Amino acid sequence: MNCTNRLLIKGGKVVNEDCSQLADVFIEDGIIQDVGLNLVVPDGAHVINAKDKLVIPGGIDTHTHMELEFMGARTVDDFYTGTKAALAGGTTMILDFVMPQKECSLLQAYDQWRNKADPKVCCDYSFHVAVSWWSEKVKEEMKTLVEEKGVNSFKMFMAYKDVFMLQDAELYAVFSHCKNLGAVAQVHAENGDLIVEGAKKILALGITGPEGQELCRPEEVEAEATQRAITIAHQANCPLYIVHVMSKSAANVIARARRQGNLW
């Protein structure tokens, strides 16, 4: 065994979700083997003195967009620069998104994103997969992604009309399928139809700057879609994860649904 594969972090305060404690951490081949005081470890381990320091597990960022091309723009970070920055800040894993266009194969899109990421990533990563359209083919490909590719979450959109947006009946079908597959259903909850109408009004007023983004998306547009998504998921008996909640109104809808037992 190469001793460089052994690491002992000694004398720090180990921070977990339930408590903090003074402890040593022994790592071998990148896997934590033991946590405790005054650990006896094999000879040759590299020792890091963590006295008076916090030893914190690496962060997991569950929502990133590397190398995403969308509506005429492209995210600044690719899978190399983004994950390099993540590691510098203590994030050791990201979950990015495969974003198939309408009528495109989910499996082909997954392979394309893997081919972009694999040569560049500096940290652990995985993918959520967006469902931007619905058909029997999509249903079968979701099953394949879960059973053969290790995907366990899918994202649906109620916004971005004619690009990613699903109708209510399609959301119900996808939520039901996620339930059957044991996968997590995620939703971007904004009323896409009302956003389009709001954007028309804003443009007619001559507003073309970034402030128009907010003006055509009042809180009630998110709150309404959030309530609708919760209702549809509840009817499908499907646990639901509502991503990037942006307003107090939507947060209130979520809090009320949790109190009523309609949201997991």
Side-chain angles (χ1 to χ4, degrees):
M1 173 67 69
N2 188 338
C3 65
T4 59
N5 294 329
R6 295 171 177 155
L7 175 66
L8 178 64
I9 303 173
K10 191 170 181 62
K13 178 177 279 189
V14 176
V15 180
N16 285 310
E17 81 283 358
D18 56 346
C19 67
S20 299
Q21 60 180 335
L22 291 175
D24 304 334
V25 180
F26 176 56
I27 302 165
E28 190 170 42
D29 293 330
I31 298 173
I32 296 173
Q33 301 293 341
D34 201 1
V35 178
L37 284 173
N38 302 315
L39 294 180
V40 178
V41 301
D43 292 337
H46 177 63
V47 178
I48 295 177
N49 183 1
K51 183 180 179 183
D52 298 325
K53 293 180 172 62
L54 300 177
V55 182
I56 301 174
I60 301 174
D61 190 335
T62 62
H63 194 125
T64 67
H65 290 292
M66 309 296 178
E67 297 190 37
L68 175 63
E69 297 182 12
F70 182 55
M71 299 181 76
R74 187 176 187 273
T75 54
V76 173
D77 279 312
D78 63 13
F79 279 98
Y80 172 69
T81 61
T83 56
K84 182 180 179 182
L87 286 172
T91 295
T92 56
M93 182 175 183
I94 66 166
L95 282 89
D96 208 88
F97 289 83
V98 175
M99 302 286 285
Q101 300 296 315
K102 282 188 181 294
E103 310 300 325
C104 292
S105 164
L106 272 62
L107 287 171
Q108 290 180 6
Y110 175 84
D111 289 339
Q112 290 169 358
W113 253 261
R114 284 292 305 267
N115 290 336
K116 288 194 293 186
D118 281 348
K120 297 179 180 180
V121 290
C122 303
C123 69
D124 293 337
Y125 83 100
S126 188
F127 282 124
H128 312 288
V129 176
V131 177
S132 59
W133 61 297
W134 183 245
S135 69
E136 285 299 314
K137 178 183 178 182
V138 171
K139 185 176 182 179
E140 287 302 313
E141 289 193 336
M142 288 175 66
K143 185 172 186 288
T144 301
L145 285 166
V146 170
E147 295 180 349
E148 299 181 15
K149 304 295 186 179
V151 173
N152 63 5
S153 59
F154 296 91
K155 181 180 181 182
M156 283 63 73
F157 291 85
M158 301 171 78
Y160 306 123
K161 186 176 182 178
D162 300 326
V163 181
F164 293 126
M165 178 177 149
L166 296 181
Q167 300 299 321
D168 289 357
E170 294 171 319
L171 285 173
Y172 179 82
V174 180
F175 289 169
S176 298
H177 196 40
C178 284
K179 170 67 175 179
N180 292 335
L181 293 173
V184 175
Q186 305 180 53
V187 67
H188 174 144
E190 289 183 292
N191 188 313
D193 289 314
L194 292 181
I195 289 172
V196 168
E197 296 305 315
K200 291 177 183 177
K201 292 179 180 179
I202 296 302
L203 289 171
L205 293 171
I207 300 172
T208 59
E211 68 275 16
Q213 170 82 5
E214 178 186 3
L215 293 172
C216 68
R217 285 169 163 80
E219 283 196 21
E220 62 184 0
V221 168
E222 183 187 17
E224 182 279 329
T226 300
Q227 179 62 65
R228 185 155 40 97
I230 290 169
T231 301
I232 296 170
H234 186 237
Q235 291 300 306
N237 195 30
C238 176
L240 182 63
Y241 171 29
I242 299 173
V243 302
H244 47 58
V245 178
M246 296 171 284
S247 67
K248 183 177 180 180
S249 299
N252 288 339
V253 170
I254 293 168
R256 183 171 63 250
R258 282 179 170 169
R259 288 194 300 270
Q260 294 171 346
N262 294 338
L263 184 66
W264 293 265

